[in-house]
Amino acid sequence: MNNINGNPVGAQPTGVALGAVSPSVVTLTDAATIATNAALGNVFRVVLGGNRALGAPTNPTNGQQATWVVVQDGTGSRTLSYNAIFLFPGGVAPVLTTTASRADLLSGIYDSVADNWLMTMADETPVEDIRSVARGLLTGTTAEPGRD
């Protein structure tokens, strides 16, 4: 007996990855306006070397989910503005962490009908703090954010 795709019922669909999937991180070039080619991946990383703007991504696909890891350089206190294509909850763009070498996570889903990225920002826990807590979970030790 076959399902609607013509595959035997209970068979593993082709093209489905099993186990953990680790997408490669696309490094973005730091510039006055940061360019993202969405066709290159779903996870993007940039180190801010000054006050910057995140430009409208090129080549997105409808429903594409993307995450931007935005890292302060060694100086910190860098700001990021956003192209109007990025829509944040309540219409308010997030303020980045200002601590040198810390990171923020911005995530969004592309809506091709409205030509907008529906965005959210992680809970403002810097990536380094998340790693510290994760290490604690893996090793069975107590880890507090900002104390590793």
Side-chain angles (χ1 to χ4, degrees), residues 132-133 135-137 139-145 147-148:
S132 174
V133 171
R135 276 195 299 276
L137 292 171
T139 62
T141 61
T142 302
E144 294 182 38
R147 299 183 184 223
D148 66 329

Side-chain angles (χ1 to χ4, degrees), residues 55-57 60 82-87 110 114-119:
Y82 307 89
N83 183 283
I85 200 169
F86 295 105
L87 300 180
Y110 181 66
D115 191 27
N116 286 318
W117 284 87
L118 306 174
M119 301 295 292

Side-chain angles (χ1 to χ4, degrees), residues 29-125:
T29 301
D30 179 50
T33 299
I34 299 165
T36 304
N37 181 347
L40 297 180
N42 294 319
V43 180
F44 305 94
R45 182 179 191 276
V46 64
V47 177
L48 301 179
N51 296 334
R52 305 294 191 231
L54 187 58
T58 57
N59 305 309
T61 58
N62 190 44
Q64 180 176 357
Q65 295 182 18
T67 298
W68 286 264
V69 180
V70 181
V71 183
Q72 293 283 344
D73 65 4
T75 300
S77 296
R78 308 300 190 180
T79 61
L80 186 65
S81 61
Y82 307 89
N83 183 283
I85 200 169
F86 295 105
L87 300 180
F88 291 94
V92 179
V95 176
L96 298 179
T97 298
T98 58
T99 305
S101 303
R102 293 293 182 130
D104 290 292
L105 299 176
L106 302 166
S107 295
I109 298 174
Y110 181 66
D111 175 357
S112 66
V113 174
D115 191 27
N116 286 318
W117 284 87
L118 306 174
M119 301 295 292
T120 186
M121 183 173 172
D123 66 356
E124 299 186 22
T125 301

